[in-house]
Amino acid sequence: VTGSDAALTATLAHGGTETARLGHHNDCFLASDTDYGTYEDVVVDKAFVAAETLYTPMGGETCAVNPPRSECATATVELALLHFDYLNRGYHPDVLDGWATGGCLSTIQRTLGHRLTLVRATLETPGAEAVAVIVTLRNDGWGALRRARPVLLGVRRGADVTLTPVTAADPRLWLPGETVDVSAAVPLGGVGSFELLLHLPDANPTLKDRPDYAVRLANENVWEASSGFNVFAQWDAATATWSLGSPRSTSAAFMCALDTDCLEWLPAAECVPGQRLHSRLTTNPESRASGHYLGLAMQP
């Protein structure tokens, strides 16, 4: 199709060429050793697809029961290898039922596409005009974000929101299994207490203000559906302390602050007695917004 046997590389990805805009679709995933003729040289062809789908869309559907290849053990390995973003949830029903019985369907549902995990927030004491913020994210999904979108760090005081573009960040390059830092000196725009926000809206001018098109982190008590903001920390000016997550709700597992500057999310079992408990947060395995599959430091 492209006139080349070489897979797309990071250098050529997202360049707007026809090669960079081609995706992959497998309409008989796992149905035979060659997926009903999808592959001729299985090893070579799969390696090609695996390399390309780091940067281009990948999806498909199952079309026949083919144990053990169509069962959970192989399915999850190949979905990860080939960086699947989507699957037809209506076909083949017997394969999908087998995944449910085998215990992997929920894993597949939450790991298709990108799934961003907020690992930690490194926060300094706010200055007179700005606060230095480093947000560490990990992509726990099988795919990556496929379209360019803004990355914004923000401060909110009541209804007043100040958003700062992180122009060096390109979410399309936050590849599966990789960890990235998003950092900025965020203008405070005033004095007193405030919330910190991470916002990844759609780049389309007609969609950028629609919360359902923003990327949602897969953590409970971070996503704000009404705005599309991920609210990940608050500064209390009265006590001069940081706390984690959104103050609007709580859930079952504690998070600990490891020190005064770096707030790190941990499961309750890892919290050492005597550490200050800032917030009650858990990872939500079902968190997703409009097909965006994202995630925080605790695994479901």
Side-chain angles (χ1 to χ4, degrees):
V1 175
T2 64
S4 173
D5 292 332
L8 188 69
T9 64
T11 303
L12 299 176
H14 314 304
T17 64
E18 290 186 359
T19 302
R21 290 172 56 82
L22 285 173
H24 292 262
H25 181 91
N26 183 339
D27 63 358
C28 270
F29 181 55
L30 306 175
S32 71
D33 289 345
T34 64
D35 290 359
Y36 277 12
T38 298
Y39 306 112
E40 294 181 355
D41 186 322
V42 174
V43 174
V44 171
D45 291 349
K46 280 187 182 177
F48 177 89
V49 174
E52 289 229 311
T53 53
L54 283 170
Y55 312 107
T56 62
M58 174 66 192
E61 66 182 11
T62 62
C63 71
V65 176
N66 177 38
R69 177 163 165 71
S70 60
E71 295 174 346
C72 282
T74 300
T76 52
V77 168
E78 293 213 7
L79 288 165
L81 171 68
L82 302 174
H83 310 115
F84 265 71
D85 296 302
Y86 67 91
L87 281 170
N88 181 354
R89 65 180 179 181
Y91 201 75
H92 190 288
D94 292 343
V95 176
L96 303 181
D97 288 347
W99 291 350
T101 302
C104 67
L105 182 60
S106 61
T107 297
I108 292 171
Q109 289 172 326
R110 67 175 176 262
T111 317
L112 286 169
H114 57 276
R115 179 178 171 87
L116 301 182
T117 297
L118 176 54
V119 178
R120 67 176 58 85
T122 305
L123 310 170
E124 296 183 359
T125 300
E129 298 182 354
V131 58
V133 177
I134 304 174
V135 174
T136 303
L137 302 170
R138 184 181 65 241
N139 184 356
D140 289 329
W142 288 326
L145 288 95
R146 301 307 186 183
R147 299 182 63 184
R149 66 175 58 233
V151 178
L152 307 170
L153 285 170
V155 164
R156 180 170 64 185
R157 287 188 173 86
D160 296 328
V161 177
T162 302
L163 295 172
T164 300
V166 185
T167 56
D170 186 346
R172 297 172 298 179
L173 302 181
W174 299 349
L175 301 180
E178 294 190 359
T179 299
V180 298
D181 288 337
V182 177
S183 61
V186 183
L188 294 177
V191 296
S193 301
F194 59 86
E195 298 168 292
L196 284 177
L197 317 171
L198 175 65
H199 188 37
L200 296 101
D202 197 285
N204 189 308
T206 63
L207 301 175
K208 66 182 181 63
D209 295 323
R210 288 186 54 173
D212 51 332
Y213 279 80
V215 169
R216 175 181 181 174
L217 299 181
N219 301 84
E220 291 182 347
N221 308 329
V222 173
W223 174 249
E224 187 176 83
S226 61
S227 65
F229 296 148
N230 295 282
V231 185
F232 64 90
Q234 303 86 44
W235 172 255
D236 186 333
T239 60
T241 57
W242 288 105
S243 58
L244 299 174
S246 169
R248 294 171 176 76
S249 59
T250 61
S251 60
F254 286 106
M255 302 286 184
C256 300
L258 297 186
D259 55 52
T260 56
D261 292 323
C262 180
L263 305 184
E264 185 163 356
W265 286 259
L266 292 171
E270 296 182 24
C271 291
V272 177
Q275 286 183 323
R276 188 155 49 105
L277 298 175
H278 276 300
S279 189
R280 297 167 64 90
L281 299 170
T282 65
T283 300
N284 180 359
E286 304 305 327
S287 288
R288 51 190 70 208
S290 299
H292 302 306
Y293 310 105
L294 312 171
L296 240 136
M298 296 197 306
Q299 297 303 312

